[in-house]
Coordinates of all heavy atoms in Angstrom, one line a residue:
M1 N 0.9 -1.2 0.0 CA 0.0 0.0 0.0 C 0.8 1.2 0.0 O 1.9 1.3 0.8 CB -0.9 -0.1 1.2 CG -1.7 1.2 1.4 SD -3.0 1.3 2.6 CE -2.4 0.4 4.0
A2 N 0.6 2.2 -0.9 CA 1.4 3.4 -1.0 C 0.4 4.6 -1.2 O -0.8 4.5 -1.5 CB 2.2 3.3 -2.2
V3 N 0.9 5.7 -0.8 CA 0.1 7.0 -1.1 C 0.7 7.5 -2.4 O 1.9 7.7 -2.6 CB 0.5 8.1 0.0 CG1 -0.3 9.4 -0.3 CG2 -0.2 7.6 1.4
T4 N -0.2 7.6 -3.4 CA 0.2 8.0 -4.7 C -0.6 9.3 -5.1 O -1.8 9.3 -5.1 CB -0.2 6.9 -5.7 OG1 0.4 5.7 -5.3 CG2 0.3 7.2 -7.1
T5 N 0.2 10.3 -5.6 CA -0.5 11.6 -5.9 C -0.3 11.8 -7.3 O 0.8 11.7 -8.0 CB 0.2 12.7 -5.0 OG1 0.1 12.4 -3.7 CG2 -0.3 14.0 -5.4
W6 N -1.4 12.3 -8.0 CA -1.4 12.7 -9.4 C -0.6 14.0 -9.5 O -0.9 15.0 -8.8 CB -2.9 12.9 -9.8 CG -3.1 13.5 -11.1 CD1 -3.3 14.8 -11.4 CD2 -3.1 12.8 -12.3 NE1 -3.5 15.0 -12.8 CE2 -3.3 13.7 -13.3 CE3 -2.9 11.5 -12.7 CZ2 -3.4 13.3 -14.7 CZ3 -2.9 11.1 -14.0 CH2 -3.2 12.0 -15.0
T7 N 0.3 14.1 -10.5 CA 1.0 15.3 -10.7 C 0.8 15.8 -12.1 O 1.1 17.0 -12.3 CB 2.5 14.9 -10.6 OG1 2.9 14.1 -11.7 CG2 2.9 14.4 -9.3
D8 N 0.3 15.0 -13.0 CA 0.1 15.3 -14.4 C 1.4 15.7 -15.1 O 1.6 16.5 -16.0 CB -1.0 16.4 -14.7 CG -1.4 16.5 -16.1 OD1 -1.4 15.5 -16.8 OD2 -1.9 17.7 -16.5
G9 N 2.5 15.2 -14.4 CA 3.9 15.5 -14.9 C 4.2 15.3 -16.3 O 5.0 16.0 -16.9
A10 N 3.5 14.2 -16.9 CA 3.7 13.8 -18.3 C 2.9 14.8 -19.1 O 3.2 14.9 -20.4 CB 3.4 12.4 -18.6
G11 N 1.9 15.5 -18.7 CA 1.0 16.4 -19.4 C 0.2 15.8 -20.5 O -0.3 16.5 -21.3
D12 N -0.1 14.5 -20.3 CA -1.0 13.8 -21.3 C -2.5 13.5 -20.7 O -3.3 13.0 -21.4 CB -0.4 12.7 -21.9 CG -0.1 11.4 -20.9 OD1 -0.5 11.7 -19.7 OD2 0.5 10.5 -21.3
G13 N -2.7 13.7 -19.4 CA -4.0 13.4 -18.8 C -4.3 11.9 -18.8 O -5.5 11.6 -18.7
N14 N -3.3 11.1 -18.9 CA -3.5 9.6 -18.9 C -3.2 9.0 -17.6 O -2.1 9.0 -17.1 CB -2.7 9.0 -20.0 CG -3.0 7.6 -20.3 OD1 -3.4 6.8 -19.5 ND2 -2.9 7.2 -21.6
W15 N -4.2 8.4 -17.0 CA -4.1 7.7 -15.7 C -2.9 6.6 -15.8 O -2.2 6.4 -14.8 CB -5.5 7.0 -15.3 CG -5.4 6.3 -14.1 CD1 -5.0 5.0 -13.8 CD2 -6.0 6.7 -12.8 NE1 -5.2 4.6 -12.5 CE2 -5.8 5.6 -11.8 CE3 -6.6 7.8 -12.4 CZ2 -6.3 5.8 -10.6 CZ3 -7.1 7.9 -11.1 CH2 -6.9 6.9 -10.2
N16 N -2.8 6.0 -16.9 CA -1.8 5.0 -17.0 C -0.4 5.3 -17.3 O 0.5 4.5 -17.5 CB -2.2 3.9 -18.1 CG -3.4 3.0 -17.6 OD1 -3.6 2.8 -16.4 ND2 -4.2 2.5 -18.6
T17 N -0.2 6.6 -17.4 CA 1.3 7.1 -17.6 C 2.0 7.3 -16.3 O 1.5 8.1 -15.5 CB 1.2 8.4 -18.5 OG1 0.5 8.3 -19.6 CG2 2.6 9.0 -18.7
V18 N 3.1 6.6 -16.1 CA 3.7 6.6 -14.8 C 4.3 7.9 -14.6 O 4.4 8.4 -13.3 CB 4.8 5.5 -14.8 CG1 4.4 4.1 -14.9 CG2 5.9 5.7 -15.9
G19 N 4.6 8.7 -15.5 CA 5.1 10.1 -15.3 C 4.0 11.1 -14.8 O 4.5 12.3 -14.4
N20 N 2.8 10.6 -14.6 CA 1.8 11.5 -14.0 C 1.6 11.3 -12.5 O 0.7 11.8 -11.9 CB 0.4 11.3 -14.7 CG 0.5 11.8 -16.1 OD1 1.0 12.9 -16.3 ND2 -0.3 11.2 -17.1
W21 N 2.4 10.4 -12.0 CA 2.3 10.0 -10.6 C 3.6 10.3 -9.8 O 4.7 10.0 -10.4 CB 1.9 8.6 -10.4 CG 0.6 8.3 -11.1 CD1 0.3 7.7 -12.3 CD2 -0.7 8.5 -10.6 NE1 -1.0 7.6 -12.6 CE2 -1.6 8.1 -11.5 CE3 -1.2 9.1 -9.3 CZ2 -3.1 8.3 -11.3 CZ3 -2.5 9.2 -9.1 CH2 -3.4 8.8 -10.1
D22 N 3.5 10.8 -8.6 CA 4.7 11.1 -7.8 C 5.6 10.0 -7.5 O 6.8 10.1 -7.3 CB 4.3 12.0 -6.6 CG 3.6 11.1 -5.5 OD1 3.0 10.1 -5.9 OD2 3.7 11.6 -4.4
T23 N 5.0 8.8 -7.5 CA 5.8 7.6 -7.2 C 6.5 7.0 -8.4 O 7.3 6.0 -8.3 CB 4.9 6.5 -6.5 OG1 3.9 6.3 -7.5 CG2 4.3 7.0 -5.2
G24 N 6.1 7.5 -9.5 CA 6.7 6.9 -10.9 C 6.0 5.6 -11.1 O 6.6 4.8 -12.0
A25 N 4.9 5.4 -10.6 CA 4.1 4.1 -10.8 C 2.7 4.3 -10.8 O 2.2 5.2 -10.0 CB 4.5 3.1 -9.8
V26 N 1.9 3.7 -11.6 CA 0.5 3.8 -11.7 C -0.1 3.2 -10.5 O 0.4 2.1 -10.0 CB -0.1 3.1 -12.9 CG1 -1.6 3.1 -13.0 CG2 0.5 3.8 -14.2
P27 N -1.2 3.7 -9.8 CA -1.7 3.2 -8.7 C -2.2 1.7 -8.8 O -2.6 1.4 -9.9 CB -3.0 4.0 -8.3 CG -2.6 5.4 -9.0 CD -1.8 5.0 -10.2
V28 N -2.0 0.9 -7.8 CA -2.3 -0.5 -7.7 C -3.4 -0.7 -6.6 O -3.6 0.2 -5.7 CB -1.2 -1.4 -7.6 CG1 -0.3 -1.2 -8.9 CG2 -0.3 -1.1 -6.4
D29 N -3.9 -1.9 -6.4 CA -4.6 -2.3 -5.3 C -4.1 -1.8 -4.0 O -3.0 -1.8 -3.7 CB -4.8 -3.9 -5.2 CG -5.8 -4.4 -6.3 OD1 -6.5 -3.6 -6.9 OD2 -5.8 -5.6 -6.4
N30 N -5.1 -1.3 -3.2 CA -4.8 -0.9 -1.9 C -4.1 0.5 -1.6 O -3.8 0.8 -0.6 CB -4.2 -1.9 -1.0 CG -5.0 -3.1 -0.9 OD1 -6.3 -3.1 -0.6 ND2 -4.4 -4.4 -1.1
D31 N -3.7 1.1 -2.8 CA -3.1 2.4 -2.6 C -4.1 3.5 -2.2 O -5.3 3.4 -2.5 CB -2.5 2.9 -4.1 CG -1.2 2.3 -4.3 OD1 -0.7 1.5 -3.5 OD2 -0.6 2.5 -5.5
D32 N -3.6 4.6 -1.7 CA -4.3 5.8 -1.3 C -4.0 6.8 -2.3 O -2.8 7.2 -2.4 CB -3.9 6.2 0.1 CG -4.4 5.3 1.1 OD1 -5.5 5.1 1.3 OD2 -3.4 4.9 1.9
V33 N -5.0 7.1 -3.2 CA -4.7 8.1 -4.4 C -5.3 9.4 -4.0 O -6.3 9.6 -3.6 CB -5.4 7.5 -5.6 CG1 -5.3 8.5 -6.8 CG2 -4.7 6.2 -6.0
I34 N -4.3 10.4 -4.3 CA -4.7 11.8 -4.1 C -4.6 12.5 -5.4 O -3.6 12.5 -6.0 CB -3.8 12.5 -3.1 CG1 -3.8 11.8 -1.7 CG2 -4.1 14.0 -2.9 CD1 -2.8 12.1 -0.7
I35 N -5.7 13.2 -5.8 CA -5.7 14.1 -6.9 C -5.9 15.4 -6.5 O -7.0 15.9 -6.1 CB -6.8 13.6 -8.0 CG1 -6.5 12.2 -8.4 CG2 -6.8 14.5 -9.2 CD1 -7.6 11.6 -9.3
S36 N -4.7 16.2 -6.4 CA -4.8 17.5 -5.8 C -4.5 18.7 -6.7 O -4.4 19.8 -6.2 CB -4.0 17.4 -4.5 OG -2.6 17.2 -4.9
R37 N -4.0 18.4 -7.8 CA -3.6 19.5 -8.7 C -3.7 19.1 -10.2 O -4.0 17.9 -10.5 CB -2.1 19.9 -8.5 CG -1.1 18.8 -8.7 CD 0.2 19.2 -8.4 NE 1.0 18.1 -7.9 CZ 2.2 18.2 -7.4 NH1 2.9 19.2 -7.5 NH2 2.9 17.1 -7.1
G38 N -3.7 20.1 -11.0 CA -3.7 19.8 -12.5 C -5.0 20.5 -13.0 O -6.0 20.7 -12.4
T39 N -4.9 21.0 -14.3 CA -6.0 21.6 -14.9 C -6.6 20.8 -16.0 O -7.7 21.1 -16.6 CB -5.5 22.9 -15.5 OG1 -4.5 22.8 -16.4 CG2 -5.2 23.9 -14.4
R40 N -5.9 19.8 -16.4 CA -6.3 18.9 -17.5 C -7.2 17.7 -16.9 O -6.9 17.2 -15.9 CB -5.0 18.3 -18.1 CG -5.3 17.3 -19.3 CD -4.0 16.6 -19.7 NE -2.9 17.4 -19.6 CZ -2.4 18.2 -20.5 NH1 -3.1 18.5 -21.6 NH2 -1.3 18.9 -20.2
A41 N -8.3 17.4 -17.7 CA -9.2 16.4 -17.3 C -8.4 15.1 -17.4 O -7.5 14.9 -18.3 CB -10.4 16.3 -18.2
I42 N -8.7 14.1 -16.5 CA -8.1 12.8 -16.6 C -9.0 12.0 -17.5 O -10.0 11.5 -17.0 CB -7.9 12.2 -15.2 CG1 -7.1 13.1 -14.4 CG2 -7.2 10.9 -15.3 CD1 -6.9 12.7 -12.9
L43 N -8.7 11.9 -18.7 CA -9.6 11.3 -19.7 C -9.2 9.8 -20.1 O -10.0 9.1 -20.7 CB -9.7 12.1 -21.0 CG -10.3 13.5 -20.6 CD1 -10.4 14.4 -21.9 CD2 -11.8 13.4 -20.1
L44 N -8.0 9.5 -20.0 CA -7.5 8.3 -20.6 C -6.9 7.3 -19.6 O -6.4 7.8 -18.5 CB -6.4 8.6 -21.6 CG -6.9 9.5 -22.8 CD1 -5.6 9.9 -23.5 CD2 -7.8 8.8 -23.6
G45 N -7.0 6.0 -19.8 CA -6.4 5.1 -19.0 C -7.1 4.6 -17.8 O -6.4 3.9 -16.9
L46 N -8.4 4.9 -17.7 CA -9.1 4.5 -16.5 C -9.7 3.1 -16.7 O -10.7 2.7 -16.1 CB -10.2 5.4 -16.2 CG -9.8 6.8 -15.7 CD1 -11.0 7.8 -15.6 CD2 -9.1 6.6 -14.4
N47 N -9.0 2.2 -17.5 CA -9.5 0.9 -17.8 C -8.8 -0.2 -17.0 O -8.7 -1.3 -17.4 CB -9.3 0.7 -19.3 CG -7.8 0.8 -19.8 OD1 -7.0 1.2 -19.0 ND2 -7.6 0.4 -21.0
Q48 N -8.3 0.2 -15.7 CA -7.7 -0.7 -14.9 C -8.9 -1.5 -14.2 O -9.2 -1.3 -13.1 CB -6.9 -0.1 -13.9 CG -5.6 0.5 -14.3 CD -4.8 1.1 -13.2 OE1 -5.2 2.1 -12.6 NE2 -3.7 0.5 -12.8
S49 N -9.4 -2.5 -14.9 CA -10.5 -3.3 -14.3 C -10.0 -4.0 -13.1 O -8.9 -4.6 -13.1 CB -11.1 -4.2 -15.3 OG -10.1 -5.2 -15.7
G50 N -10.8 -4.0 -12.0 CA -10.5 -4.8 -10.9 C -9.5 -4.1 -9.9 O -9.2 -4.8 -8.9
I51 N -9.2 -2.8 -10.1 CA -8.3 -2.2 -9.1 C -9.1 -1.8 -8.0 O -10.3 -1.2 -8.2 CB -7.6 -1.0 -9.8 CG1 -6.6 -0.4 -8.8 CG2 -8.5 0.0 -10.3 CD1 -5.6 0.5 -9.3
N52 N -8.7 -2.0 -6.8 CA -9.4 -1.6 -5.5 C -8.5 -0.7 -4.8 O -7.6 -1.1 -4.1 CB -9.8 -2.9 -4.8 CG -10.8 -3.8 -5.5 OD1 -11.9 -3.3 -5.7 ND2 -10.4 -5.0 -5.8
L53 N -8.9 0.6 -4.9 CA -8.1 1.6 -4.1 C -8.5 1.5 -2.6 O -9.6 1.4 -2.3 CB -8.3 2.9 -4.7 CG -7.8 3.2 -6.0 CD1 -8.2 4.6 -6.6 CD2 -6.3 2.9 -6.3
N54 N -7.6 1.8 -1.7 CA -8.0 2.0 -0.3 C -8.7 3.3 -0.1 O -9.7 3.4 0.6 CB -6.6 2.0 0.5 CG -7.0 2.0 2.0 OD1 -7.7 1.2 2.5 ND2 -6.4 3.0 2.7
S55 N -8.3 4.4 -0.8 CA -9.0 5.7 -0.8 C -8.7 6.5 -2.0 O -7.7 6.3 -2.8 CB -8.6 6.5 0.5 OG -7.2 6.9 0.3
L56 N -9.6 7.4 -2.3 CA -9.5 8.4 -3.4 C -9.8 9.7 -2.9 O -11.0 9.8 -2.5 CB -10.2 7.9 -4.6 CG -10.3 9.0 -5.8 CD1 -8.9 9.1 -6.4 CD2 -11.3 8.5 -6.8
T57 N -8.9 10.6 -2.9 CA -9.3 12.0 -2.4 C -9.0 12.9 -3.5 O -7.9 12.9 -4.2 CB -8.3 12.3 -1.2 OG1 -8.5 11.4 -0.2 CG2 -8.6 13.8 -0.7
I58 N -10.0 13.7 -3.8 CA -9.9 14.8 -4.9 C -10.1 16.1 -4.1 O -11.1 16.4 -3.6 CB -10.9 14.6 -6.0 CG1 -10.9 13.2 -6.5 CG2 -10.8 15.7 -7.1 CD1 -12.0 12.8 -7.4
T59 N -9.1 17.0 -4.2 CA -9.0 18.2 -3.5 C -9.4 19.4 -4.5 O -9.3 19.2 -5.7 CB -7.7 18.5 -2.9 OG1 -6.7 18.8 -3.8 CG2 -7.2 17.3 -2.0
P60 N -9.7 20.6 -3.9 CA -10.0 21.7 -4.7 C -8.9 22.2 -5.7 O -9.1 22.9 -6.6 CB -10.3 22.8 -3.7 CG -10.6 22.1 -2.4 CD -9.9 20.9 -2.5
G61 N -7.6 21.7 -5.3 CA -6.5 22.0 -6.3 C -6.7 21.5 -7.7 O -6.0 21.9 -8.6
F62 N -7.5 20.4 -7.7 CA -7.6 19.8 -9.1 C -8.7 20.6 -9.8 O -9.9 20.7 -9.4 CB -8.1 18.4 -8.9 CG -8.4 17.7 -10.2 CD1 -7.4 17.4 -11.2 CD2 -9.6 17.3 -10.7 CE1 -7.7 16.8 -12.4 CE2 -9.9 16.6 -11.8 CZ -9.0 16.4 -12.7
K63 N -8.3 21.2 -10.9 CA -9.2 22.0 -11.7 C -9.6 21.4 -13.0 O -10.3 22.0 -13.9 CB -8.5 23.4 -12.0 CG -8.0 24.0 -10.8 CD -9.1 24.5 -9.9 CE -8.6 25.3 -8.7 NZ -9.5 25.4 -7.6
G64 N -9.3 20.0 -13.2 CA -9.8 19.4 -14.4 C -11.3 19.3 -14.5 O -11.9 19.3 -13.5
A65 N -11.8 19.3 -15.7 CA -13.3 19.3 -15.9 C -13.8 18.0 -15.5 O -15.0 17.9 -15.1 CB -13.6 19.7 -17.3
S66 N -13.1 16.8 -15.6 CA -13.7 15.5 -15.4 C -12.7 14.5 -15.2 O -11.4 14.7 -15.4 CB -14.6 15.2 -16.5 OG -13.8 15.0 -17.7
I67 N -13.1 13.4 -14.7 CA -12.2 12.2 -14.6 C -13.1 11.1 -15.2 O -14.1 10.7 -14.8 CB -12.0 11.8 -13.1 CG1 -11.2 12.9 -12.3 CG2 -11.2 10.5 -13.0 CD1 -11.0 12.8 -10.9
G68 N -12.5 10.6 -16.4 CA -13.2 9.6 -17.1 C -13.7 10.1 -18.5 O -13.5 11.3 -18.8
D69 N -14.2 9.3 -19.3 CA -14.7 9.7 -20.6 C -16.1 9.0 -20.9 O -16.6 8.5 -20.0 CB -13.7 9.4 -21.7 CG -13.4 7.9 -21.9 OD1 -14.2 7.0 -21.4 OD2 -12.4 7.5 -22.5
E70 N -16.5 9.1 -22.1 CA -17.9 8.5 -22.4 C -17.9 7.1 -22.3 O -19.1 6.5 -22.1 CB -18.3 9.0 -23.8 CG -17.6 8.4 -25.0 CD -16.2 9.1 -25.3 OE1 -16.0 10.1 -24.7 OE2 -15.5 8.5 -26.1
T71 N -16.9 6.3 -22.2 CA -16.9 4.9 -22.1 C -16.5 4.3 -20.7 O -16.5 3.1 -20.5 CB -16.1 4.2 -23.2 OG1 -14.7 4.6 -23.1 CG2 -16.7 4.5 -24.5
T72 N -15.9 5.3 -19.9 CA -15.4 4.8 -18.6 C -16.0 5.5 -17.5 O -16.4 6.6 -17.6 CB -13.9 5.1 -18.5 OG1 -13.3 5.3 -19.8 CG2 -13.1 4.0 -17.9
S73 N -16.1 4.9 -16.4 CA -16.7 5.6 -15.2 C -15.9 5.2 -13.9 O -15.3 4.2 -13.9 CB -18.1 5.3 -15.0 OG -18.3 3.9 -14.8
L74 N -16.0 6.0 -13.0 CA -15.4 5.7 -11.7 C -16.5 5.0 -10.8 O -17.6 5.6 -10.7 CB -15.0 7.1 -11.0 CG -14.5 6.9 -9.7 CD1 -13.1 6.2 -9.6 CD2 -14.2 8.3 -9.0
Q75 N -16.2 3.9 -10.4 CA -17.2 3.1 -9.6 C -16.7 2.8 -8.2 O -15.5 2.6 -8.1 CB -17.5 1.7 -10.3 CG -18.2 1.9 -11.6 CD -18.4 0.6 -12.4 OE1 -18.2 -0.4 -11.7 NE2 -18.9 0.7 -13.5
I76 N -17.5 2.9 -7.2 CA -17.1 2.5 -5.9 C -18.0 1.2 -5.5 O -19.2 1.3 -5.6 CB -17.5 3.6 -4.9 CG1 -16.7 4.9 -5.2 CG2 -17.2 3.2 -3.4 CD1 -17.0 6.1 -4.5
N77 N -17.3 0.2 -5.2 CA -17.9 -1.1 -4.9 C -17.6 -1.5 -3.5 O -16.4 -1.7 -3.2 CB -17.3 -2.1 -5.9 CG -18.0 -3.4 -5.8 OD1 -18.8 -3.7 -4.9 ND2 -17.7 -4.3 -6.7
T78 N -18.6 -1.7 -2.7 CA -18.4 -2.2 -1.3 C -18.0 -3.6 -1.2 O -17.6 -4.0 -0.2 CB -19.6 -1.8 -0.5 OG1 -20.7 -2.6 -1.0 CG2 -20.0 -0.4 -0.5
N79 N -18.3 -4.3 -2.3 CA -18.1 -5.8 -2.2 C -18.7 -6.5 -1.1 O -18.2 -7.6 -0.7 CB -16.5 -6.1 -2.2 CG -15.9 -5.7 -3.6 OD1 -16.5 -5.8 -4.6 ND2 -14.7 -5.1 -3.5
G80 N -19.6 -5.9 -0.5 CA -20.3 -6.6 0.6 C -19.5 -6.8 1.9 O -19.7 -7.5 2.8
A81 N -18.4 -5.9 2.0 CA -17.4 -6.1 3.1 C -18.0 -5.6 4.4 O -17.5 -5.9 5.5 CB -16.1 -5.4 2.7
G82 N -19.0 -4.8 4.4 CA -19.6 -4.2 5.5 C -18.9 -3.1 6.1 O -19.1 -2.6 7.2
G83 N -17.8 -2.6 5.5 CA -17.1 -1.5 6.0 C -17.6 -0.1 5.4 O -18.6 -0.2 4.7
T84 N -16.7 0.8 5.5 CA -17.1 2.2 4.9 C -16.2 2.5 3.8 O -15.0 2.3 3.8 CB -16.9 3.2 6.0 OG1 -17.7 2.9 7.2 CG2 -17.3 4.6 5.5
N85 N -16.8 2.8 2.7 CA -16.1 3.2 1.5 C -16.3 4.8 1.3 O -17.4 5.2 1.3 CB -16.6 2.5 0.2 CG -16.2 1.1 0.4 OD1 -15.0 0.7 0.3 ND2 -17.2 0.2 0.5
T86 N -15.2 5.5 1.0 CA -15.4 7.0 1.0 C -14.7 7.5 -0.2 O -13.6 7.1 -0.6 CB -14.6 7.6 2.2 OG1 -15.2 7.1 3.4 CG2 -14.8 9.2 2.2
L87 N -15.4 8.3 -1.0 CA -14.8 9.1 -2.0 C -14.9 10.5 -1.6 O -16.0 11.1 -1.2 CB -15.7 9.0 -3.3 CG -15.3 9.9 -4.5 CD1 -14.0 9.7 -4.9 CD2 -16.3 9.7 -5.6
S88 N -13.7 11.1 -1.3 CA -13.6 12.4 -0.7 C -13.4 13.5 -1.9 O -12.4 13.3 -2.5 CB -12.5 12.4 0.3 OG -12.3 13.7 0.8
C89 N -14.3 14.3 -1.9 CA -14.2 15.5 -2.9 C -14.3 16.8 -2.1 O -15.4 17.1 -1.8 CB -15.3 15.3 -4.0 SG -15.1 13.9 -5.0
E90 N -13.2 17.4 -1.9 CA -13.3 18.7 -1.1 C -13.6 19.8 -2.2 O -13.1 20.0 -3.1 CB -12.0 18.9 -0.5 CG -11.5 17.9 0.6 CD -10.2 18.0 1.1 OE1 -9.6 19.1 1.0 OE2 -9.7 17.0 1.6
M91 N -14.6 20.6 -1.8 CA -15.1 21.7 -2.7 C -14.8 23.0 -2.1 O -14.9 23.2 -0.9 CB -16.6 21.6 -3.0 CG -16.9 20.2 -3.5 SD -16.8 20.4 -5.3 CE -17.5 18.9 -5.9

């Protein structure tokens, strides 16, 4: 488990580009993901089926218009675990 922060360092708006993450790696299962900056929408690469993040935090510093495209969506799945799942979007 790692804390992974979106940097948009590669400048392509692609979730799957390692240069867009401060760890130099695309988030994997159980990571805590923070999207806190950038003006470009994250439109590509959200096709990591089966990835289960520990948390996803989107702060006001992210000015992108959207996360996802017309064929992809962000889903939160409780998997019947009985725990709490949180999508944090600070406005």
